[in-house]
C-alpha cells in the first residue's frame, strides 16, 4: 500500500528535481521517495552542539576579560612611552622656549645616563636578561 505526501518546492527546486529524475529514468515521485530514503541513511537529523550555551558564555566572558587586560596593558605602555623619552624632550622645550634642535640633542645626551636604569629595569625580564652583571637578549621560549 502506498500513501500520498505533499511537498511544496520552489519553481527552481522543482525544475532541478525533474531534471535529476529524468536523468535517472524515474518519475518525480520515485525520485523524491529515493532521495528522502537516501537522506535518512546518510545523516542524523538531530544535531548535538559541541558546547553548551553556558560554556560558550563563559568562554566569551573569559575572552572579554583577557581583551580588557590587554587593552589596559597597552594603555599603560603608551602612557609610559609618552612619559619617558618624549616627555624629557617636551619638558626641556617647555623650560627653554625657542631652543634649537642641537640644544635638545645635547640635553638628551647629557641626561640619558639618568634615565638608563629605569629603561633597563623596564626591559629586564621582557626583552633582556641580566647575568653576572651583563645584559643579554631574552630568548623566546
Amino acid at each position: 500500500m502506498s500513501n500520498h505526501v505533499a511537498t511544496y518546492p520552489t519553481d527552481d527546486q522543482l525544475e532541478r528535481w525533474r531534471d535529476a529524475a529524468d536523468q535517472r529514468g524515474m518519475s518525480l515521485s520515485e525520485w523524491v521517495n529515493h532521495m528522502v530514503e537516501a537522506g535518512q541513511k546518510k545523516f542524523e537529523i538531530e544535531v548535538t552542539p559541541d558546547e553548551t550555551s553556558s560554556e560558550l558564555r563563559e568562554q566569551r566572558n573569559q575572552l572579554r576579560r583577557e581583551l580588557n587586560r590587554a587593552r589596559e596593558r597597552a594603555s599603560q605602555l603608551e602612557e609610559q612611552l609618552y612619559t619617558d623619552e618624549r616627555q624629557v624632550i617636551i619638558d626641556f622645550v617647555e623650560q627653554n622656549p625657542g631652543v634649537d634642535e642641537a640644544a635638545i640633542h645635547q640635553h638628551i645626551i647629557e641626561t640619558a645616563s639618568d634615565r638608563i636604569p629605569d629603561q633597563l629595569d623596564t626591559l629586564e625580564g621582557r626583552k633582556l636578561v641580566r647575568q653576572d652583571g651583563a645584559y643579554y637578549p631574552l630568548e623566546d621560549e
Side-chain angles (χ1 to χ4, degrees), residues 89-110:
I89 294 170
I90 293 167
D91 290 345
F92 183 71
V93 171
E94 286 175 349
Q95 293 168 6
N96 302 284
V99 67
D100 65 7
E101 188 175 338
I104 294 171
H105 280 263
Q106 189 59 40
H107 176 72
I108 296 299
I109 291 167
E110 291 171 359

PDB file of all heavy atoms in Angstrom, residues 89-110:
ATOM      1  N   ILE A  89      61.946  65.451  26.267  1.00  0.00           N
ATOM      2  CA  ILE A  89      62.079  66.500  25.238  1.00  0.00           C
ATOM      3  C   ILE A  89      61.048  67.598  25.472  1.00  0.00           C
ATOM      4  O   ILE A  89      61.373  68.792  25.441  1.00  0.00           O
ATOM      5  CB  ILE A  89      61.936  65.888  23.827  1.00  0.00           C
ATOM      6  CG1 ILE A  89      63.105  64.943  23.544  1.00  0.00           C
ATOM      7  CG2 ILE A  89      61.846  66.988  22.767  1.00  0.00           C
ATOM      8  CD1 ILE A  89      62.940  64.109  22.295  1.00  0.00           C
ATOM      9  N   ILE A  90      59.807  67.197  25.719  1.00  0.00           N
ATOM     10  CA  ILE A  90      58.740  68.183  25.948  1.00  0.00           C
ATOM     11  C   ILE A  90      59.075  69.067  27.136  1.00  0.00           C
ATOM     12  O   ILE A  90      58.964  70.298  27.072  1.00  0.00           O
ATOM     13  CB  ILE A  90      57.386  67.472  26.139  1.00  0.00           C
ATOM     14  CG1 ILE A  90      56.952  66.799  24.830  1.00  0.00           C
ATOM     15  CG2 ILE A  90      56.311  68.438  26.628  1.00  0.00           C
ATOM     16  CD1 ILE A  90      55.797  65.818  24.980  1.00  0.00           C
ATOM     17  N   ASP A  91      59.490  68.439  28.231  1.00  0.00           N
ATOM     18  CA  ASP A  91      59.827  69.206  29.433  1.00  0.00           C
ATOM     19  C   ASP A  91      60.966  70.202  29.155  1.00  0.00           C
ATOM     20  O   ASP A  91      60.923  71.357  29.592  1.00  0.00           O
ATOM     21  CB  ASP A  91      60.231  68.272  30.578  1.00  0.00           C
ATOM     22  CG  ASP A  91      59.063  67.466  31.116  1.00  0.00           C
ATOM     23  OD1 ASP A  91      57.892  67.815  30.826  1.00  0.00           O
ATOM     24  OD2 ASP A  91      59.323  66.463  31.828  1.00  0.00           O
ATOM     25  N   PHE A  92      61.986  69.739  28.427  1.00  0.00           N
ATOM     26  CA  PHE A  92      63.135  70.609  28.133  1.00  0.00           C
ATOM     27  C   PHE A  92      62.709  71.804  27.284  1.00  0.00           C
ATOM     28  O   PHE A  92      63.112  72.940  27.554  1.00  0.00           O
ATOM     29  CB  PHE A  92      64.237  69.806  27.435  1.00  0.00           C
ATOM     30  CG  PHE A  92      65.469  70.615  27.159  1.00  0.00           C
ATOM     31  CD1 PHE A  92      66.304  71.015  28.194  1.00  0.00           C
ATOM     32  CD2 PHE A  92      65.808  70.990  25.864  1.00  0.00           C
ATOM     33  CE1 PHE A  92      67.447  71.767  27.955  1.00  0.00           C
ATOM     34  CE2 PHE A  92      66.946  71.739  25.610  1.00  0.00           C
ATOM     35  CZ  PHE A  92      67.765  72.126  26.650  1.00  0.00           C
ATOM     36  N   VAL A  93      61.879  71.570  26.265  1.00  0.00           N
ATOM     37  CA  VAL A  93      61.420  72.659  25.402  1.00  0.00           C
ATOM     38  C   VAL A  93      60.532  73.617  26.188  1.00  0.00           C
ATOM     39  O   VAL A  93      60.618  74.834  26.025  1.00  0.00           O
ATOM     40  CB  VAL A  93      60.708  72.121  24.155  1.00  0.00           C
ATOM     41  CG1 VAL A  93      60.042  73.232  23.361  1.00  0.00           C
ATOM     42  CG2 VAL A  93      61.690  71.344  23.276  1.00  0.00           C
ATOM     43  N   GLU A  94      59.674  73.066  27.064  1.00  0.00           N
ATOM     44  CA  GLU A  94      58.821  73.941  27.884  1.00  0.00           C
ATOM     45  C   GLU A  94      59.667  74.817  28.813  1.00  0.00           C
ATOM     46  O   GLU A  94      59.327  75.971  29.063  1.00  0.00           O
ATOM     47  CB  GLU A  94      57.828  73.106  28.694  1.00  0.00           C
ATOM     48  CG  GLU A  94      56.695  72.535  27.860  1.00  0.00           C
ATOM     49  CD  GLU A  94      55.773  71.616  28.655  1.00  0.00           C
ATOM     50  OE1 GLU A  94      56.116  71.246  29.809  1.00  0.00           O
ATOM     51  OE2 GLU A  94      54.721  71.255  28.109  1.00  0.00           O
ATOM     52  N   GLN A  95      60.775  74.273  29.335  1.00  0.00           N
ATOM     53  CA  GLN A  95      61.649  75.040  30.226  1.00  0.00           C
ATOM     54  C   GLN A  95      62.549  76.001  29.446  1.00  0.00           C
ATOM     55  O   GLN A  95      63.090  76.954  30.026  1.00  0.00           O
ATOM     56  CB  GLN A  95      62.515  74.084  31.050  1.00  0.00           C
ATOM     57  CG  GLN A  95      61.730  73.243  32.035  1.00  0.00           C
ATOM     58  CD  GLN A  95      62.572  72.111  32.633  1.00  0.00           C
ATOM     59  OE1 GLN A  95      63.771  72.018  32.396  1.00  0.00           O
ATOM     60  NE2 GLN A  95      61.918  71.265  33.398  1.00  0.00           N
ATOM     61  N   ASN A  96      62.712  75.737  28.142  1.00  0.00           N
ATOM     62  CA  ASN A  96      63.600  76.552  27.303  1.00  0.00           C
ATOM     63  C   ASN A  96      62.897  76.897  25.988  1.00  0.00           C
ATOM     64  O   ASN A  96      63.325  76.443  24.919  1.00  0.00           O
ATOM     65  CB  ASN A  96      64.902  75.791  27.013  1.00  0.00           C
ATOM     66  CG  ASN A  96      65.630  75.404  28.278  1.00  0.00           C
ATOM     67  OD1 ASN A  96      66.255  76.242  28.910  1.00  0.00           O
ATOM     68  ND2 ASN A  96      65.531  74.141  28.654  1.00  0.00           N
ATOM     69  N   PRO A  97      61.862  77.708  26.023  1.00  0.00           N
ATOM     70  CA  PRO A  97      61.144  78.040  24.788  1.00  0.00           C
ATOM     71  C   PRO A  97      62.080  78.635  23.741  1.00  0.00           C
ATOM     72  O   PRO A  97      62.972  79.425  24.071  1.00  0.00           O
ATOM     73  CB  PRO A  97      60.099  79.067  25.230  1.00  0.00           C
ATOM     74  CG  PRO A  97      59.975  78.903  26.708  1.00  0.00           C
ATOM     75  CD  PRO A  97      61.298  78.397  27.191  1.00  0.00           C
ATOM     76  N   GLY A  98      61.911  78.216  22.496  1.00  0.00           N
ATOM     77  CA  GLY A  98      62.743  78.716  21.404  1.00  0.00           C
ATOM     78  C   GLY A  98      64.068  77.994  21.263  1.00  0.00           C
ATOM     79  O   GLY A  98      64.910  78.394  20.467  1.00  0.00           O
ATOM     80  N   VAL A  99      64.265  76.915  22.003  1.00  0.00           N
ATOM     81  CA  VAL A  99      65.508  76.164  21.957  1.00  0.00           C
ATOM     82  C   VAL A  99      65.662  75.494  20.586  1.00  0.00           C
ATOM     83  O   VAL A  99      64.686  75.096  19.965  1.00  0.00           O
ATOM     84  CB  VAL A  99      65.552  75.114  23.108  1.00  0.00           C
ATOM     85  CG1 VAL A  99      64.525  74.036  22.906  1.00  0.00           C
ATOM     86  CG2 VAL A  99      66.943  74.532  23.251  1.00  0.00           C
ATOM     87  N   ASP A 100      66.914  75.401  20.104  1.00  0.00           N
ATOM     88  CA  ASP A 100      67.119  74.776  18.795  1.00  0.00           C
ATOM     89  C   ASP A 100      67.369  73.274  18.952  1.00  0.00           C
ATOM     90  O   ASP A 100      67.560  72.756  20.052  1.00  0.00           O
ATOM     91  CB  ASP A 100      68.265  75.456  18.029  1.00  0.00           C
ATOM     92  CG  ASP A 100      69.627  75.289  18.698  1.00  0.00           C
ATOM     93  OD1 ASP A 100      69.736  74.536  19.683  1.00  0.00           O
ATOM     94  OD2 ASP A 100      70.583  75.927  18.226  1.00  0.00           O
ATOM     95  N   GLU A 101      67.348  72.566  17.820  1.00  0.00           N
ATOM     96  CA  GLU A 101      67.462  71.105  17.834  1.00  0.00           C
ATOM     97  C   GLU A 101      68.797  70.641  18.412  1.00  0.00           C
ATOM     98  O   GLU A 101      68.856  69.631  19.133  1.00  0.00           O
ATOM     99  CB  GLU A 101      67.277  70.554  16.419  1.00  0.00           C
ATOM    100  CG  GLU A 101      67.199  69.033  16.385  1.00  0.00           C
ATOM    101  CD  GLU A 101      66.885  68.481  15.009  1.00  0.00           C
ATOM    102  OE1 GLU A 101      66.332  69.214  14.158  1.00  0.00           O
ATOM    103  OE2 GLU A 101      67.199  67.300  14.798  1.00  0.00           O
ATOM    104  N   ALA A 102      69.859  71.351  18.127  1.00  0.00           N
ATOM    105  CA  ALA A 102      71.181  70.966  18.640  1.00  0.00           C
ATOM    106  C   ALA A 102      71.191  70.966  20.170  1.00  0.00           C
ATOM    107  O   ALA A 102      71.760  70.062  20.803  1.00  0.00           O
ATOM    108  CB  ALA A 102      72.253  71.900  18.092  1.00  0.00           C
ATOM    109  N   ALA A 103      70.555  71.954  20.783  1.00  0.00           N
ATOM    110  CA  ALA A 103      70.491  72.012  22.247  1.00  0.00           C
ATOM    111  C   ALA A 103      69.658  70.866  22.800  1.00  0.00           C
ATOM    112  O   ALA A 103      69.974  70.325  23.864  1.00  0.00           O
ATOM    113  CB  ALA A 103      69.926  73.365  22.686  1.00  0.00           C
ATOM    114  N   ILE A 104      68.599  70.506  22.078  1.00  0.00           N
ATOM    115  CA  ILE A 104      67.782  69.357  22.519  1.00  0.00           C
ATOM    116  C   ILE A 104      68.615  68.083  22.470  1.00  0.00           C
ATOM    117  O   ILE A 104      68.618  67.297  23.418  1.00  0.00           O
ATOM    118  CB  ILE A 104      66.516  69.232  21.651  1.00  0.00           C
ATOM    119  CG1 ILE A 104      65.599  70.437  21.873  1.00  0.00           C
ATOM    120  CG2 ILE A 104      65.774  67.933  21.970  1.00  0.00           C
ATOM    121  CD1 ILE A 104      64.424  70.515  20.908  1.00  0.00           C
ATOM    122  N   HIS A 105      69.356  67.888  21.387  1.00  0.00           N
ATOM    123  CA  HIS A 105      70.250  66.721  21.272  1.00  0.00           C
ATOM    124  C   HIS A 105      71.236  66.691  22.437  1.00  0.00           C
ATOM    125  O   HIS A 105      71.442  65.632  23.059  1.00  0.00           O
ATOM    126  CB  HIS A 105      71.040  66.761  19.952  1.00  0.00           C
ATOM    127  CG  HIS A 105      70.280  66.304  18.767  1.00  0.00           C
ATOM    128  ND1 HIS A 105      70.360  65.036  18.278  1.00  0.00           N
ATOM    129  CD2 HIS A 105      69.412  66.981  17.954  1.00  0.00           C
ATOM    130  CE1 HIS A 105      69.586  64.931  17.210  1.00  0.00           C
ATOM    131  NE2 HIS A 105      68.993  66.102  16.994  1.00  0.00           N
ATOM    132  N   GLN A 106      71.850  67.820  22.709  1.00  0.00           N
ATOM    133  CA  GLN A 106      72.840  67.887  23.776  1.00  0.00           C
ATOM    134  C   GLN A 106      72.206  67.549  25.127  1.00  0.00           C
ATOM    135  O   GLN A 106      72.791  66.831  25.939  1.00  0.00           O
ATOM    136  CB  GLN A 106      73.499  69.270  23.816  1.00  0.00           C
ATOM    137  CG  GLN A 106      74.681  69.360  24.740  1.00  0.00           C
ATOM    138  CD  GLN A 106      75.795  68.378  24.364  1.00  0.00           C
ATOM    139  OE1 GLN A 106      76.098  68.168  23.195  1.00  0.00           O
ATOM    140  NE2 GLN A 106      76.400  67.777  25.380  1.00  0.00           N
ATOM    141  N   HIS A 107      71.005  68.064  25.363  1.00  0.00           N
ATOM    142  CA  HIS A 107      70.306  67.776  26.624  1.00  0.00           C
ATOM    143  C   HIS A 107      70.027  66.278  26.767  1.00  0.00           C
ATOM    144  O   HIS A 107      70.236  65.704  27.849  1.00  0.00           O
ATOM    145  CB  HIS A 107      68.993  68.570  26.692  1.00  0.00           C
ATOM    146  CG  HIS A 107      68.193  68.250  27.909  1.00  0.00           C
ATOM    147  ND1 HIS A 107      68.553  68.668  29.175  1.00  0.00           N
ATOM    148  CD2 HIS A 107      67.048  67.536  28.067  1.00  0.00           C
ATOM    149  CE1 HIS A 107      67.678  68.229  30.055  1.00  0.00           C
ATOM    150  NE2 HIS A 107      66.738  67.536  29.400  1.00  0.00           N
ATOM    151  N   ILE A 108      69.591  65.659  25.701  1.00  0.00           N
ATOM    152  CA  ILE A 108      69.317  64.212  25.734  1.00  0.00           C
ATOM    153  C   ILE A 108      70.595  63.438  26.037  1.00  0.00           C
ATOM    154  O   ILE A 108      70.606  62.526  26.865  1.00  0.00           O
ATOM    155  CB  ILE A 108      68.696  63.732  24.400  1.00  0.00           C
ATOM    156  CG1 ILE A 108      67.324  64.378  24.167  1.00  0.00           C
ATOM    157  CG2 ILE A 108      68.579  62.208  24.354  1.00  0.00           C
ATOM    158  CD1 ILE A 108      66.301  64.067  25.227  1.00  0.00           C
ATOM    159  N   ILE A 109      71.685  63.825  25.387  1.00  0.00           N
ATOM    160  CA  ILE A 109      72.969  63.154  25.615  1.00  0.00           C
ATOM    161  C   ILE A 109      73.410  63.320  27.074  1.00  0.00           C
ATOM    162  O   ILE A 109      73.833  62.359  27.721  1.00  0.00           O
ATOM    163  CB  ILE A 109      74.052  63.706  24.654  1.00  0.00           C
ATOM    164  CG1 ILE A 109      73.726  63.272  23.221  1.00  0.00           C
ATOM    165  CG2 ILE A 109      75.447  63.266  25.070  1.00  0.00           C
ATOM    166  CD1 ILE A 109      74.535  64.003  22.157  1.00  0.00           C
ATOM    167  N   GLU A 110      73.297  64.534  27.598  1.00  0.00           N
ATOM    168  CA  GLU A 110      73.759  64.811  28.955  1.00  0.00           C
ATOM    169  C   GLU A 110      72.893  64.143  30.025  1.00  0.00           C
ATOM    170  O   GLU A 110      73.392  63.828  31.107  1.00  0.00           O
ATOM    171  CB  GLU A 110      73.797  66.323  29.205  1.00  0.00           C
ATOM    172  CG  GLU A 110      74.877  67.028  28.413  1.00  0.00           C
ATOM    173  CD  GLU A 110      74.776  68.544  28.494  1.00  0.00           C
ATOM    174  OE1 GLU A 110      73.839  69.055  29.157  1.00  0.00           O
ATOM    175  OE2 GLU A 110      75.623  69.214  27.887  1.00  0.00           O
TER     176      GLU A 110
END
